[in-house]
Amino acid sequence: MSSSIVRKSTQSLKSETSSKNTSIISVMDTQSYGSSTTPDGTTSPKSFRHFLNERSLKRQPSLIRELTKQFATAGPGTIFVAGGLPNPDLFPYTSLSLQVDENTSINLSGQELRAALQYQPTMGHPVLHEELLKLVKQHFPPPHWDNTGLIVTVGSQNALSGMLEIILENGDPIVIPGPCYSSALSIMDPYSPTYLSVPEDSDGMQPDALRSVLQKWYGTNSPTTQVNGKVKNDFKRPKILYVNPTGANPSGIVIPTERKKEIYRITQEYDLLILEDDPYYFLHFLQQNPTTFLSMDVDGRVIRFDSFSKVLSSGLRVGFATGPKDLIRSLELYLQASILHTASLSQVVVNGTLRNWGTDGFRKHMESVKAFYKKRRDLMLAAAEKHLTGLAEWTTPKAGMFLWLKIRGVDDTFNMVMERGIQRKIIALPGREFMADKSKPCPYIRLSYSVLPEDQIEQGISRLAELIRDEQKRNQK
Ligand SMILES: Cc1ncc(COP(=O)(O)O)c(C=O)c1O
């Protein structure tokens, strides 16, 4: 599908786009994501090779890592002399106990402890891998389960950076939300990409703006552009749409289901992969868990990143990526060569916690985490209402940890925050960090309500109000 789109002229792409709309909509509605082939001949990408960069296409499996995987699932009695595993009998640890809550503890010794301290397959410790597949199946199963792969990663950041590493070429266009998670930009920036930044409203990335950004890209960078009578071949098509659907960092929005469907349809038309970076999924303040792009992925074009950082521990550094098997395999090869695997001990701790809790315990824990952050959010909103009315604008965060403020009468918040804010002992994050073009003035700041003690929230916001008032006065001079 992709190459045919890329080869078409802008004009034909435009007409194809509008005529395809209806058929894709009707197929998605009537088949409830059951099939990846539409009656007008649109087929799902069977191969993802055209998304991968040259480096990634050259990467071969590591034989040692492949055999380690074999050994991890081999039957009893298998003799393994292939790997460079250190002998775990020499590890100086004999037992480990971790109290999780009053009813739950993790106690490791003997073979279990040895496995927790030993190298593990790159895909993840088999016991955690199995547990995570169950979690995905329960919460957001993709339509093509048989074509779904999962890999345990060092938090979601490792999955995201790995995925970008295997796809991006220098100068690629990338579709991002505006504003965008700053550490995603930090991965992308060195590739000198052209950011196709799509503005958000209170429901996230706006589909009309997304469509027009893509149409404009194809319009001004037609793959068949003629230069001196010769066809120009350096056309770069956007391959990736990066998004935080739940509690976006920094805006706190949650993309509603209908909008997700609309965005998904556009990615079908333009053959984009969706990188669904969703570490705040379990940290929303809604009545029901949000839908996910993964669960509506009839084509196999979504790679979803989950994380235990915000709900179990950020220092354990455990997350996971779920998506089409081919792409997860490419990520596996990259991780085989870079980190080998996520820390075994961390994986065992996460697995022990999930298994001991069971579905019910997990749900209860999530409820208590959500309630905690919701209370903090409400306190910050009340303080903002009291002190910042007239000085700033914001929308209520529906998930996550952040309040995203647009400051009135201040074109650029950078010096206000970094110089005068620090002097006044109020440290926020200038919004510029989240912008694709950091050279432009940015009137936003991001506040976090996650770790500030409840009794300091109002004091912090009132200090910020003073800072803004002074800044507005400075600007009027
Ligand atoms: C949107 C987003 N993605 C990824 C991450 C990284 O999370 P992890 O700790 O799982 O690597 C963060 C952390 O702040 C985040 O906000």
Side-chain angles (χ1 to χ4, degrees):
M1 179 172 78
S2 63
S3 44
S4 64
I5 284 187
V6 173
R7 278 197 298 271
K8 277 171 191 152
S9 70
T10 319
Q11 197 45 50
S12 63
L13 176 66
K14 275 182 194 153
S15 52
E16 175 182 274
T17 297
S18 48
S19 68
K20 253 185 194 168
N21 264 350
T22 22
S23 57
I24 289 175
I25 292 166
S26 62
V27 165
M28 289 186 70
D29 286 343
T30 55
Q31 298 190 344
S32 30
Y33 314 128
S35 163
S36 58
T37 306
T38 66
D40 65 353
T42 312
T43 52
S44 59
K46 297 273 184 280
S47 153
F48 291 93
R49 292 182 68 80
H50 63 291
F51 284 109
L52 300 178
N53 59 26
E54 253 185 77
R55 275 190 310 283
S56 180
L57 288 169
K58 281 187 201 152
R59 194 167 284 121
Q60 296 296 319
S62 145
L63 197 57
I64 293 183
R65 292 270 84 216
E66 293 296 311
L67 289 171
T68 307
K69 182 160 50 179
Q70 284 275 322
F71 180 53
T73 50
T78 306
I79 295 175
F80 187 63
V81 286
L85 306 182
N87 191 319
D89 292 345
L90 300 179
F91 297 160
Y93 311 98
T94 49
S95 69
L96 183 124
S97 292
L98 201 59
Q99 195 66 35
V100 183
D101 53 37
E102 51 195 25
N103 304 317
T104 320
S105 61
I106 298 168
N107 299 300
L108 297 172
S109 59
Q111 178 47 33
E112 262 190 322
L113 181 62
R114 280 198 288 277
L117 296 171
Q118 184 57 285
Y119 286 123
Q120 289 293 335
T122 303
M123 291 298 261
H125 194 307
V127 287
L128 179 64
H129 193 266
E130 191 188 315
E131 196 64 23
L132 296 180
L133 282 172
K134 278 194 238 159
L135 190 143
V136 170
K137 211 166 193 172
Q138 186 192 351
H139 290 277
F140 28 76
H144 299 298
W145 185 250
D146 289 347
N147 184 38
T148 300
L150 183 151
I151 185 163
V152 182
T153 55
V154 182
S156 47
Q157 188 75 16
N158 174 223
L160 171 63
S161 65
M163 216 60 224
L164 290 168
E165 279 287 331
I166 65 175
I167 294 172
L168 287 182
E169 302 275 12
N170 281 337
D172 272 354
I174 313 173
V175 181
I176 56 166
C180 179
Y181 169 49
S182 53
S183 300
L185 295 176
S186 305
I187 308 167
M188 297 168 190
D189 282 347
Y191 290 90
S192 308
T194 303
Y195 287 119
L196 307 182
S197 181
V198 182
E200 287 186 333
D201 61 16
S202 56
D203 284 337
M205 193 180 258
Q206 300 176 51
D208 288 349
L210 170 59
R211 198 181 288 284
S212 92
V213 152
L214 287 164
Q215 279 173 351
K216 193 165 161 217
W217 179 260
Y218 276 92
T220 49
N221 298 280
S222 166
T224 52
T225 302
Q226 302 255 333
V227 178
N228 299 333
K230 288 191 183 147
V231 174
K232 209 175 144 218
N233 278 329
D234 60 354
F235 174 74
K236 283 185 179 286
R237 71 184 185 88
K239 294 187 278 188
I240 290 173
L241 180 147
Y242 169 78
V243 66
N244 295 159
T246 316
N249 184 355
S251 64
I253 55 90
V254 175
I255 306 180
T257 303
E258 281 311 310
R259 182 163 295 188
K260 282 197 182 106
K261 286 185 189 172
E262 231 176 312
I263 293 172
Y264 188 82
R265 274 175 215 129
I266 298 172
T267 65
Q268 289 185 304
E269 291 163 22
Y270 286 88
D271 195 21
L272 293 165
L273 291 176
I274 298 179
L275 301 194
E276 179 177 35
D277 184 18
D278 210 5
Y280 304 96
Y281 176 77
F282 288 108
L283 223 166
H284 64 79
F285 315 128
L286 308 170
Q287 295 303 318
Q288 283 184 331
N289 284 341
T291 50
T292 64
F293 283 107
L294 185 73
S295 60
M296 57 180 70
D297 186 19
V298 286
D299 293 347
R301 61 178 65 255
V302 176
I303 303 102
R304 180 181 161 81
F305 309 124
D306 283 277
S307 172
F308 291 105
S309 287
K310 322 293 175 180
V311 290
L312 292 187
S313 151
S314 43
L316 282 175
R317 307 302 302 130
V318 179
F320 58 101
T322 317
K325 272 187 179 157
D326 286 1
L327 283 174
I328 295 296
R329 172 70 171 155
S330 301
L331 180 59
E332 182 192 5
L333 296 195
Y334 170 75
L335 295 178
Q336 281 186 347
S338 52
I339 60 160
L340 303 187
H341 62 83
T342 303
S344 311
L345 191 54
S346 291
Q347 296 191 59
V348 166
V349 169
V350 170
N351 180 58
T353 311
L354 299 181
R355 286 214 172 177
N356 282 327
W357 273 345
T359 314
D360 225 35
F362 181 69
R363 189 187 45 74
K364 273 193 202 133
H365 177 69
M366 294 310 148
E367 289 310 319
S368 73
V369 174
K370 278 183 212 175
F372 177 95
Y373 284 115
K374 184 170 180 298
K375 186 169 176 215
R376 291 281 168 97
R377 176 204 68 171
D378 291 345
L379 285 171
M380 191 170 268
L381 283 174
E385 207 62 54
K386 184 166 162 194
H387 297 284
L388 296 178
T389 300
L391 297 176
E393 295 159 33
W394 59 90
T395 54
T396 298
K398 295 197 177 101
M401 307 174 164
F402 307 113
L403 182 62
W404 182 235
L405 296 175
K406 182 175 186 188
I407 310 300
R408 289 196 179 153
V410 178
D411 288 343
D412 187 38
T413 55
F414 193 81
N415 290 336
M416 173 185 94
V417 172
M418 299 304 290
E419 289 173 18
R420 290 160 301 270
I422 291 174
Q423 278 161 15
R424 282 172 173 266
K425 295 189 183 304
I426 168 81
I427 305 181
L429 197 57
R432 197 195 278 187
E433 267 305 280
F434 302 92
M435 298 297 156
D437 182 353
K438 293 184 179 52
S439 66
K440 283 192 182 151
C442 174
Y444 287 88
I445 59 174
R446 190 194 78 176
L447 308 183
S448 159
Y449 43 81
S450 52
V451 289
L452 189 61
E454 285 180 11
D455 58 2
Q456 284 182 21
I457 290 180
E458 177 154 4
Q459 192 189 7
I461 297 286
S462 95
R463 226 177 256 181
L464 179 67
E466 281 170 34
L467 179 70
I468 297 172
R469 263 188 222 102
D470 283 359
E471 196 71 13
Q472 289 175 335
K473 278 187 210 141
R474 271 176 84 97
N475 289 351
Q476 280 160 9
K477 278 182 196 160

